[in-house]
Amino acid sequence: MPTTDGERELGKLLISAGAFWEQALEQDFELLTTYGFNTLPPSLQRDIHARLCSESGRVLFEFVFWMYDVRQTTFVDPNKVSCPLLFVSGTEDKAVTPSTARLMAERYENSDFLAVNGACHYIQFEDQWPETAAKALDWLRQKL
């Protein structure tokens, strides 16, 4: 469940689009700059947006409104997960905030959480990405 007002607002924006789960959704630049690109330079925001294609409304529904998905497509039974898990979140992520990502991680016995200071949802485009990737690789070496 969302842990912040911003995440709840994003859900409301999706619902206001009508039956979005029945269509492919174009990437809304303003929405992305608010929730996904919020720490990136404007020129990079435009560049990334220009390369994105439409998003599956059904997948968004299954992910964001999982509690209404009768198929429980995204359900994972934490008791059946035996591998180590690393949850990574940027401290400035507005789409899946660190508080929400941390709660997801806490559901699993063998999980760790890595917060990347100053990073947005599109963490792989941040200046500190090489350090973040190195930390993830170190984690993998320790766990596997």
Side-chain angles (χ1 to χ4, degrees), residues 2-58:
T3 59
T4 66
D5 289 341
E7 288 171 306
R8 285 184 279 280
E9 185 63 30
L10 182 56
K12 288 183 206 175
L13 289 170
L14 282 172
I15 286 294
S16 69
F20 69 92
W21 52 88
E22 295 177 352
Q23 55 192 311
L25 303 173
E26 295 306 314
Q27 301 287 343
D28 182 276
F29 183 73
E30 295 302 319
L31 199 65
L32 284 168
T33 59
T34 301
Y35 290 94
F37 299 157
N38 49 301
T39 63
L40 301 176
S43 60
L44 184 55
Q45 292 176 353
R46 287 188 296 279
D47 181 52
I48 296 167
H49 181 259
R51 292 184 279 145
L52 295 174
C53 59
S54 56
E55 180 87 39
S56 166
R58 181 173 178 173

Side-chain angles (χ1 to χ4, degrees), residues 50-102:
R51 292 184 279 145
L52 295 174
C53 59
S54 56
E55 180 87 39
S56 166
R58 181 173 178 173
V59 169
L60 278 173
F61 173 80
E62 291 167 349
F63 179 69
V64 177
F65 297 104
W66 53 267
M67 70 291 291
Y68 300 116
D69 179 13
V70 295
R71 295 184 196 111
Q72 293 294 286
T73 309
T74 60
F75 176 74
V76 175
D77 184 347
N79 298 316
K80 293 184 178 181
V81 176
S82 58
C83 65
L85 301 171
L86 177 62
F87 288 77
V88 182
S89 179
T91 60
E92 302 307 312
D93 189 335
K94 306 295 183 204
V96 182
T97 63
S99 55
T100 298
R102 190 179 301 277

